[in-house]
Amino acid sequence: MATVWNNVSSVCLSNLNSNRIRTRPPAFTPISVSFTRRRLTIRAAETDANEAVKSQAPDKAPAASGSNVNQLLGIKGAAQETNKWKIRLQLTKPVTWPPLVWGVVCGAAASGNFHWNLEDVAKSIVCMMMSGPFLTGYTQTLNDWYDREIDAINEPYRPIPSGAISESEVITQIWLLLLGGLGLAGLLDIWLKQNGWVGNFALGASYISLPWWAGQALFGTLTPDIIVLTLLYSIAGLGIAIVNDFKSVEGDRAMGLQSLPVAFGAETAKWICVGAIDITQISIAGYLLGVGKPYYALALLALIIPQVVFQFQYFLKDPVKYDVKYQASAQPFLVLGLLVTALATSH
């Protein structure tokens, strides 16, 4: 009996153990295998991703292999530098200056009035310095400052993300370049004022064309026809600029500045002034009518009428005595006319 019981127990235990051995693998092995396969797949994907990132990552430029010329020009592949003046020059990206400098040369050549004398050479050099090293350098340094976090990933060897120049030093450079450029612009403005036509049109364009271009480019597309239209509208700005010249006739004459009141006399200049303002706006109204915008054209003409009234009431009577009162009365209508024209061209 004991033998039988032992045999039965042995068989039962044997069967139980064999059942456990048979049941455990199906219950756990697929999970283990599945998990292992997933883990292998994930690792493979990570490896592929890492390789892809490495292949797409921009080339880093170690100091040992960087170019000193590239560093001075401010282009990729520059050697790392510790000299602060070389770093400051690098931030201004001198490679971007030549088009601006060449533009000054072309403009001087196109004027037909450039002469190889000390004054004209000095003017051109100041204009080149303003356009290239100062104002272009200002924008390039400012651009690097705002791109410092991106550059820390893409080009960590650049001066700002690498810490070769401190944040306070960069900000100081930005301000000095901006103020230096504006200072040179002020000096050039003295020379510009020697020609009343050019100087006043430049002022008019800066008040009308440039802000318009900036606004339209910011929210849409700046088209060639709008550029031409706003430059023509800037002739009205020329007229507005002449208003301010009447109170400065004596000083301008003493300094040799050929403002229009000095060049033509007050009587002629005041008619040039109102003519530039009115004829320009009437011409724009005619343009709007021609392109199928009759309501905008009529609205612009309606805004011209009060300007003419204030011209006769104030400005043409005494441009020196009533210049402020005239501008306060008439200019709001000219500004509204600009908006009417802008709305007309947007539809």
Side-chain angles (χ1 to χ4, degrees), residues 187-220:
L187 178 60
L188 289 172
D189 188 54
I190 296 174
W191 279 317
L192 276 174
K193 280 189 172 182
Q194 290 184 357
N195 187 314
W197 294 106
V198 175
N200 285 325
F201 182 77
L203 182 61
S206 67
Y207 272 92
I208 295 176
S209 297
L210 296 182
W212 185 317
W213 296 351
Q216 185 156 348
L218 184 63
F219 295 101

Side-chain angles (χ1 to χ4, degrees), residues 7-82:
N7 289 335
V8 171
S9 299
S10 177
V11 169
C12 290
L13 289 170
S14 176
N15 289 337
L16 181 61
N17 289 334
S18 64
N19 286 338
R20 283 179 180 171
I21 293 169
R22 281 197 297 270
T23 56
R24 289 172 79 179
F28 294 96
T29 303
I31 295 174
S32 177
V33 171
S34 177
F35 177 75
T36 304
R37 285 179 180 172
R38 285 181 184 175
R39 186 168 60 188
L40 288 172
T41 302
I42 291 169
R43 284 180 178 174
E46 288 176 349
T47 303
D48 292 341
N50 289 336
E51 289 177 357
V53 170
K54 287 178 181 178
S55 65
Q56 295 174 5
D59 294 334
K60 303 298 186 282
S65 62
S67 167
N68 291 325
V69 174
N70 288 12
Q71 188 274 326
L72 293 174
L73 292 176
I75 59 179
K76 191 174 181 179
Q80 290 193 356
E81 183 60 65
T82 57

Side-chain angles (χ1 to χ4, degrees), residues 242 246 249 253 260-275 312 314-320:
I242 297 173
F246 285 91
V249 171
R253 186 180 288 115
L260 295 187
V262 172
F264 295 98
E267 282 298 312
T268 302
K270 68 184 182 182
W271 285 101
I272 293 174
C273 174
V274 298
F312 280 95
Y314 296 123
F315 185 74
L316 292 173
K317 280 185 179 179
D318 192 333
V320 177

Side-chain angles (χ1 to χ4, degrees), residues 201-254:
F201 182 77
L203 182 61
S206 67
Y207 272 92
I208 295 176
S209 297
L210 296 182
W212 185 317
W213 296 351
Q216 185 156 348
L218 184 63
F219 295 101
T221 302
L222 183 60
T223 56
D225 58 326
I226 294 298
I227 293 175
V228 173
L229 181 67
T230 52
L231 286 174
L232 291 175
Y233 224 129
S234 296
I235 298 174
L238 178 149
I240 296 171
I242 297 173
V243 174
N244 296 315
D245 289 336
F246 285 91
K247 64 178 180 291
S248 307
V249 171
E250 293 182 7
D252 289 347
R253 186 180 288 115

Side-chain angles (χ1 to χ4, degrees), residues 229 232-233 279-289 297 300 341:
L229 181 67
L232 291 175
Y233 224 129
I279 293 172
T280 298
Q281 294 179 91
I282 292 170
S283 300
I284 297 296
Y287 165 78
L288 295 178
L289 185 63
L300 183 55
T341 305

Side-chain angles (χ1 to χ4, degrees), residues 50-213:
N50 289 336
E51 289 177 357
V53 170
K54 287 178 181 178
S55 65
Q56 295 174 5
D59 294 334
K60 303 298 186 282
S65 62
S67 167
N68 291 325
V69 174
N70 288 12
Q71 188 274 326
L72 293 174
L73 292 176
I75 59 179
K76 191 174 181 179
Q80 290 193 356
E81 183 60 65
T82 57
N83 185 297
K84 283 294 172 65
W85 289 107
K86 289 184 178 180
I87 292 171
R88 290 186 182 280
L89 181 64
Q90 180 181 356
L91 287 174
T92 64
K93 293 188 178 67
V95 73
T96 63
W97 301 352
L100 285 301
V101 172
W102 190 248
V104 174
V105 173
C106 292
S111 72
N113 294 318
F114 178 83
H115 304 285
W116 287 102
N117 55 46
L118 182 60
E119 182 179 1
D120 285 3
V121 171
K123 289 179 185 177
S124 61
I125 291 174
V126 171
C127 193
M128 291 173 187
M129 293 291 292
M130 176 194 72
S131 304
F134 280 89
L135 294 184
T136 303
Y138 155 73
T139 59
Q140 294 295 343
T141 306
L142 189 66
N143 181 70
D144 269 22
W145 169 251
Y146 280 107
D147 283 351
R148 63 190 184 278
E149 293 177 358
I150 298 173
D151 287 343
I153 299 171
N154 294 333
E155 300 177 90
Y157 55 85
R158 292 193 61 79
I160 297 175
S162 70
I165 187 169
S166 68
E167 293 185 358
S168 60
E169 288 172 325
V170 176
I171 293 173
T172 300
Q173 174 164 324
I174 289 170
W175 277 108
L176 287 175
L177 289 173
L178 175 60
L179 295 176
L182 294 176
L184 293 179
L187 178 60
L188 289 172
D189 188 54
I190 296 174
W191 279 317
L192 276 174
K193 280 189 172 182
Q194 290 184 357
N195 187 314
W197 294 106
V198 175
N200 285 325
F201 182 77
L203 182 61
S206 67
Y207 272 92
I208 295 176
S209 297
L210 296 182
W212 185 317
W213 296 351

